[in-house]
Amino acid sequence: MSTGKQLAGLLLLTTALTFPGAAFAQETVGAPETGEEGAPSDPQDEQDTASSEQEAEISIPGGGGEIIVTGRRRQDVTRSSTQVVSVLTSEQIARTGEGDIAGALGRVTGLSVQGQGFVYVRGLGDRYSLALLNGLPLPSPQPLSRVVPLDIFPTDVVASSLVQKTYSANFPGEFGGGVINLTTRAIPDESFFEINAGISGDEQTTFSGGIDHYGSDFDWFGFDDGTRDTPPALQEFFDSGLRMTDLEVDQQKIAKQLGNPNLVLTQRIDSLPVNWSAGLTAGTSFPVFADGQFGVIATAGISNKWRNRSIISQTARNADLDLNTDFRDFVTDNRMLVNGLLGFGLEVGDHTFRWTNLYIRDSLKQSRLALGEDFQDGDSEFQQDTAWYERQLINSQLVAELEFGNLDIDLRGGYAQTQREAPYEYSFTYVRTNNENDPLGDLFVNVLDRQRGSGSVAFSELKEDLWYGGVDVGYPITDWLRLTAGYAYTDTSRYSERREFLFDADTGFEDAVGALRPDLLLGDAVIDYYGIGLIETTQSDPAFRAGLEIHAGYIQSRINPLEGVTLDLGVRYEDAKQSVNPVEVFATPINSGSSTLLRNDYYLPAGTLTWEVTDALQARISASKTIARPQFRELIFQTYYDPETNRQYNGNPMLIDSELTNLEGRLEYYFGNGSRASVAGFYKDIENPIEVFSAFSDNVQVSGFANAPKAQLYGAELEFQYNHDLVRWGGWFDTKRAIAVANYTYTQSEIKVSPGDVTWVFPSGERPATDFFRDGVPLTGQSDHLVNLQLGIEDVDRLQQFTFLLSYASERVTARGTSSLPDIVEDPGLRVDFVYRQEFDLFRRPIELKLEARNIFGRDHLEYQSNGTNRIEINSYQVGQSFALSLSTEF
């Protein structure tokens, strides 16, 4: 094997070596000779290298001739790992046709994607999952989560993904459902340049009518041109430390700078354009020093997508589900994603160094109109919202893998930052009284006195910084015992601020003027004449600062007491300090909330026994203890509005850590040609799980967080993969094979609540747990049944694939019902997709064509409450079919 090919193989999953449990996965995936992207060059190679055994002969010169040593190299990572893992290679990801890694991971056994790109493992929420990039941690740009949403990672920058479901001590202790390790593309063994472009659309959006607001000239690629910068008068107010009620503050001056028509005026678009994307990847490598190789790889991509949603949004006022409000929301989202990766790799002798830099920017421009009835007040309401959300990730990581004979030393360190900004979140409510005695009772008016209509604008920002570093040392004590020890340090800090202002008019404001559209309503003349001022609704809790510092050490042993038996034993010690503190932004301090400090240390043992019963049959048993910490936002008593779910959330400073006991047993059968079957059973006991509950505050439903006393989760997984050559069929099938990949996960969970159990909720303190949780109900986010099926035919000599993909998830609870109301339930149902990939020559250049048909049967998004007799829709809308076409070529 050439030095360049060695470099490509070593760097394909190289930084997974920073965690020894993933080291074998890297070695086996990288073992075969690879193409320019570090992945097998065609489907046949990928299938063979991912799941086969090879006989290797090594010639060793000796004094009397050559000694031939014959050995077996097992290349199926799923089989050879000492833990339960699933690996998605670049080819397997490409076969799904998904544009982001979250969608591809949704095809893995036991995994489901919920909300805004969060991956749930075996029905456990995102708080129980751990996402890594090249084996190193990631910060999150999401206010309600410390776990990064995986839908921001385009598949173009991900070479492979490893999912480990059993805990090993080399991983961080926040490991409830599993760990997802994304590996970026490797340094190539020779120079190449690849470009791709695509278009897509869906029947609810493309060429259909929608709504939009102008924004700025650069919105189309996800950047603002300065239009959304904080206006000078408001910035001066922020810098002053004054309160809006202070006499020195010129409220009218600030208000007049907040009425930019480009940001507040919605417009109808008769025909929304098609979605589009483009990207390029380039790489090269060359020899350095006497025995070294240096390589560079770079990727860049951009996409622009539109989505319409016509949402039925209802609320109930009692257990009979009589309607309290009934609205129809029409939302148009324009999402822009920009990404770039720059990686450097160096191999010198037995030492490997890698420096990886990743940039992702995800921007969402949202326009919303809503019309509905408020039955409690007896009036009709019209609402208009406009918003702009920016999420950004910057990551730089450096890894050194040093080999000194049998001694392995891995060093790692890096810095990552995420940001989220949401300037100018506008919301306007117009009210029609429907009162015959009211001269304006048949008009929608915005009085701005908050008794009828209202207008508001909010500015929010979030920044999270993460520093990390660590070292691992491994050494074989004997031929049957290998020890690894390591230390890891992470320091996460977050700053979050949200300032919301209500436009306020005095009692002399005329109803007829209130019927004006928002940009005219906030015109300078109206503001001056009626003295429209501002009220800051977030004055008591505008900002918080949070941090999580972890020192961890572990020792892990790999023992082979008998032929075919491997015992992986380890223990991890973690000392963590987590704090969340209100930030005083005003010159005169006020009591703006409650501070939280959690300081805990844990010993987390883990063990997995693997027994190779026969050459084809393998058994595993595993046991471990892990933890789950509260998210930052959950620990601060501040109100946050989530635009995706249309819900408000309040934190709880009295939350505590959850502790998990994990057990698993598994049988795996391998019957050649990449075919295999497995069956597994798992059980988890969770002390103090954090669950979401709902309550009413001033007739508005607000979700909160509390520790339930206990929960249990158990289930089973079935997985089957079969490849069958069709050469006997002859003709067109002479070079084809059929592929069937199926998995099924059955999960049951229940919260355990007894009459004497208590929980702690801020600010009321200790409360009966039965006030918030019902005994026997499932954990939020858990589906009883998850099914994935891939049926396809592919050519073994060239790129040609036809793949049907089916996924099914049964009902799952997304939020607890308020008081006596039933839980809010989502019903994902069945979804069927089709992906076709074909390589052909055009102008003597190979071109890859990809055609996709998604959600062929038009499954809708359904989220509702039901008491068995009546049902109301909480967040339901049509999704429809979508189609995509893309082309790529390599120079």
Side-chain angles (χ1 to χ4, degrees), residues 624-668:
S624 63
K625 282 187 172 293
T626 55
I627 58 172
R629 298 183 177 94
Q631 316 280 13
F632 290 139
R633 172 66 72 169
E634 296 169 352
L635 287 168
I636 189 75
F637 190 70
Q638 293 181 354
T639 301
Y640 168 74
Y641 173 75
D642 183 2
E644 182 71 17
T645 60
N646 197 30
R647 297 189 190 118
Q648 293 188 31
Y649 292 85
N650 261 342
N652 177 12
M654 307 181 81
L655 294 175
I656 60 175
D657 295 351
S658 305
E659 300 183 41
L660 297 88
T661 300
N662 314 287
L663 302 173
E664 178 158 349
R666 175 178 293 261
L667 284 174
E668 302 165 355

Side-chain angles (χ1 to χ4, degrees), residues 273-406:
V274 298
N275 308 324
W276 58 269
S277 63
L280 59 87
T281 304
T284 187
S285 62
F286 47 86
V288 294
F289 309 120
D291 59 347
Q293 191 82 2
F294 180 79
V296 181
I297 190 168
T299 68
I302 182 173
S303 66
N304 185 305
K305 296 181 179 180
W306 294 82
R307 179 178 68 153
N308 278 342
R309 287 177 292 161
S310 184
I311 304 170
I312 304 175
S313 179
Q314 302 171 321
T315 62
R317 65 173 182 266
N318 53 41
D320 293 331
L321 298 184
D322 294 324
L323 288 178
N324 185 46
T325 61
D326 184 10
F327 278 82
R328 301 297 181 270
D329 298 358
F330 186 84
V331 183
T332 299
D333 292 332
N334 185 200
R335 183 182 181 188
M336 292 69 65
L337 184 65
V338 177
N339 65 86
L341 180 145
L342 180 62
F344 303 92
L346 172 65
E347 184 187 65
V348 180
D350 294 329
H351 309 310
T352 303
F353 304 87
R354 187 176 183 182
W355 183 26
T356 304
N357 303 276
L358 179 66
Y359 174 81
I360 296 175
R361 183 182 179 89
D362 184 12
S363 302
L364 176 66
K365 185 180 182 182
Q366 187 175 87
S367 305
R368 177 190 296 259
L369 299 177
L371 179 63
E373 305 296 323
D374 186 332
F375 295 103
Q376 180 170 326
D377 295 338
D379 53 33
S380 303
E381 294 183 3
F382 172 78
Q383 299 172 358
Q384 175 193 300
D385 299 333
T386 56
W388 171 268
Y389 305 99
E390 302 172 1
R391 297 185 298 178
Q392 182 172 283
L393 168 66
I394 300 172
N395 186 289
S396 182
Q397 52 186 221
L398 183 63
V399 174
E401 300 159 11
L402 312 176
E403 294 186 19
F404 303 96
N406 290 329

Side-chain angles (χ1 to χ4, degrees), residues 616-808:
L617 181 63
Q618 190 166 263
R620 301 180 193 269
I621 57 172
S622 176
S624 63
K625 282 187 172 293
T626 55
I627 58 172
R629 298 183 177 94
Q631 316 280 13
F632 290 139
R633 172 66 72 169
E634 296 169 352
L635 287 168
I636 189 75
F637 190 70
Q638 293 181 354
T639 301
Y640 168 74
Y641 173 75
D642 183 2
E644 182 71 17
T645 60
N646 197 30
R647 297 189 190 118
Q648 293 188 31
Y649 292 85
N650 261 342
N652 177 12
M654 307 181 81
L655 294 175
I656 60 175
D657 295 351
S658 305
E659 300 183 41
L660 297 88
T661 300
N662 314 287
L663 302 173
E664 178 158 349
R666 175 178 293 261
L667 284 174
E668 302 165 355
Y669 183 72
Y670 300 84
F671 43 100
N673 195 28
S675 301
R676 64 176 183 264
S678 67
V679 57
F682 55 88
Y683 171 83
K684 295 179 183 292
D685 183 87
I686 310 175
E687 295 287 341
N688 303 310
I690 299 172
E691 286 285 290
V692 180
F693 67 89
S694 296
F696 279 105
S697 175
D698 295 330
N699 200 37
V700 176
Q701 183 170 314
V702 179
S703 296
F705 306 90
N707 289 104
K710 189 175 182 179
Q712 292 179 341
L713 180 142
Y714 60 90
E717 289 180 347
L718 300 174
E719 186 173 6
F720 176 80
Q721 179 171 323
Y722 181 70
N723 306 308
H724 181 69
D725 291 330
L726 303 177
V727 62
R728 294 183 179 179
W729 292 23
W732 183 80
F733 295 98
D734 191 50
T735 58
K736 302 297 187 293
R737 69 174 164 201
I739 295 178
V741 180
N743 58 68
Y744 167 69
T745 305
Y746 171 75
T747 309
Q748 286 290 298
S749 67
E750 55 183 3
I751 295 176
K752 299 288 189 179
V753 185
S754 301
D757 290 333
V758 297
T759 189
W760 288 265
V761 178
F762 188 85
S764 55
E766 183 178 295
R767 295 281 300 277
T770 51
D771 288 356
F772 302 92
F773 308 107
R774 296 193 298 272
D775 184 61
V777 298
L779 293 167
T780 53
Q782 179 254 309
S783 293
D784 290 354
H785 308 280
L786 292 175
V787 180
N788 287 292
L789 176 64
Q790 294 184 36
L791 298 174
I793 294 177
E794 66 181 21
D795 198 294
V796 298
D797 291 340
R798 61 192 179 100
L799 177 58
Q800 185 183 55
Q801 296 176 347
F802 307 83
T803 309
F804 280 96
L805 304 104
L806 294 83
S807 61
Y808 170 80

